[in-house]
Amino acid sequence: VKANNDGLESRDIAEFLLQATAYNWSQNRLKLALTNLTDLQIRDQSDPEYGQYYGNFHFAKGNAEKGVKIDENAAEFCMEKLAVLRKLYYGNLNAENKAMLDEMIRLAIVAMQRHNVAVTYTNIYVMKMWSLSALGEATGDNAVAQEGYGMLRTWMQELARNGVAEYNSPTYSGVAAVALGCMAALTDDATAKQEANIALEYYSLLLFGNYFKTGMYLGGPHSRDYNYFSSRSGTLDGLMAHYLRGWYTDFYSSHAFWTPTGQALSLIDK
């Protein structure tokens, strides 16, 4: 975070900020991280990617002049974590750092609102709906929060008609489940909380019905998978290891834990 090299991803700085703020780290160190993340955000209002971030995956800022396109999902990857910070740990920041965070969030909201995400692009869609609803609530911007709630209603309709588009994905099901779990646990809106929890029951059945406890891997038919020789993929396995073996997972994901239904738990191999 201090060096801010091209190999450091913007979402990793956001993860650091979330955990370091929660643990009351030095305000000077938090300011350094906020400054470095700000440096990765596009602040030129004439740029069509205004408010977006460099540095997500291999889209480094240093490659911008070489014509390398940024990752349009970067704002969602950063804001899903900073939404938790803004809702739960904002009081741990001093006035200067609060101002830096608020301006960063304001611009990222613009970027997310411009980002047209298909409802079938499950992981990014759910991250966006969680981020907009949470940041709208936390900053007092009801229009932004309502946009997030509306996305949830649209996604629930899609779920009822066609199920989860990125179903049983070793790469993406965990990503979507964590954002959905955060929304269910942390949203201020009673209707959104109820709908998110209904969706989590569905996710529980999908995940627990297809994950093998003994071998710790996902089986059966599944969608998007970048791991051709193994189902091990990070977020999903960390989440399931917590539920099935009581293992700890990353700090952000820990805010998403939910109580699986008895029906879902009964599907686990003995």
Side-chain angles (χ1 to χ4, degrees):
V1 172
K2 182 177 181 180
N4 202 27
N5 295 324
D6 275 350
L8 184 67
E9 296 185 3
S10 51
R11 58 180 175 168
D12 291 335
I13 302 178
E15 172 77 26
F16 170 83
L17 277 166
L18 168 59
Q19 191 162 356
T21 303
Y23 290 156
N24 268 313
W25 274 37
S26 160
Q27 294 296 320
N28 289 333
R29 292 189 179 187
L30 294 173
K31 180 182 177 180
L32 178 60
L34 283 163
T35 300
N36 286 342
L37 189 54
T38 296
D39 186 53
L40 291 173
Q41 191 173 36
I42 298 172
R43 298 269 172 130
D44 179 359
Q45 294 189 39
S46 66
D47 194 310
E49 301 294 352
Y50 177 61
Q52 269 292 2
Y53 290 90
Y54 294 107
N56 199 43
F57 300 108
H58 62 280
F59 299 96
K61 184 176 182 180
N63 289 332
E65 64 275 10
K66 302 175 186 176
V68 177
K69 184 175 173 59
I70 69 166
D71 177 16
E72 293 184 347
N73 302 328
E76 283 84 2
F77 273 106
C78 290
M79 288 302 115
E80 66 166 346
K81 298 172 176 64
L82 295 186
V84 176
L85 190 166
R86 187 61 177 79
K87 283 188 72 71
L88 299 184
Y89 307 112
Y90 187 65
N92 291 352
L93 296 173
N94 63 22
E96 182 181 15
N97 287 339
K98 284 179 179 177
M100 291 179 68
L101 176 67
D102 286 344
E103 178 65 4
M104 185 185 303
I105 287 172
R106 185 182 71 81
L107 300 186
I109 287 173
V110 172
M112 288 190 292
Q113 289 176 322
R114 289 179 174 179
H115 186 199
N116 184 23
V117 183
V119 69
T120 52
Y121 194 2
T122 309
N123 77 106
I124 302 301
Y125 189 92
V126 175
M127 274 197 281
K128 180 179 176 180
M129 77 183 191
W130 151 241
S131 298
L132 289 177
S133 61
L135 293 173
E137 291 171 356
T139 61
D141 191 329
N142 185 59
V144 172
Q146 290 297 329
E147 187 173 349
Y149 305 151
M151 289 183 67
L152 174 60
R153 289 192 294 271
T154 299
W155 186 66
M156 292 293 286
Q157 292 168 3
E158 170 67 17
L159 202 65
R161 287 193 299 265
N162 301 310
V164 177
E166 292 178 347
Y167 65 93
N168 292 344
S169 169
T171 308
Y172 292 115
S173 286
V175 177
V178 168
L180 183 61
C182 283
M183 191 166 188
L186 301 177
T187 184
D188 297 332
D189 185 83
T191 300
K193 183 181 289 290
Q194 181 182 29
E195 291 177 336
N197 274 290
I198 291 171
L200 277 178
E201 291 183 17
Y202 187 77
Y203 256 83
S204 292
L205 293 173
L206 284 177
L207 298 180
F208 285 76
N210 292 280
Y211 204 85
F212 291 89
K213 180 178 181 180
T214 304
M216 299 295 289
Y217 61 86
L218 187 70
H222 58 276
S223 63
R224 305 179 63 196
D225 184 1
Y226 297 151
N227 302 282
Y228 302 114
F229 299 104
S230 170
S231 71
R232 307 311 295 271
S233 62
T235 303
L236 174 63
D237 290 290
L239 190 65
M240 296 306 292
H242 163 75
Y243 282 119
L244 303 182
R245 295 190 178 177
W247 294 351
Y248 182 72
T249 186
D250 67 272
F251 186 74
Y252 165 61
S253 297
S254 69
H255 294 81
F257 292 159
W258 68 89
T259 302
T261 63
Q263 183 182 9
L265 290 171
S266 70
L267 298 175
I268 289 295
D269 64 306
K270 305 302 180 184

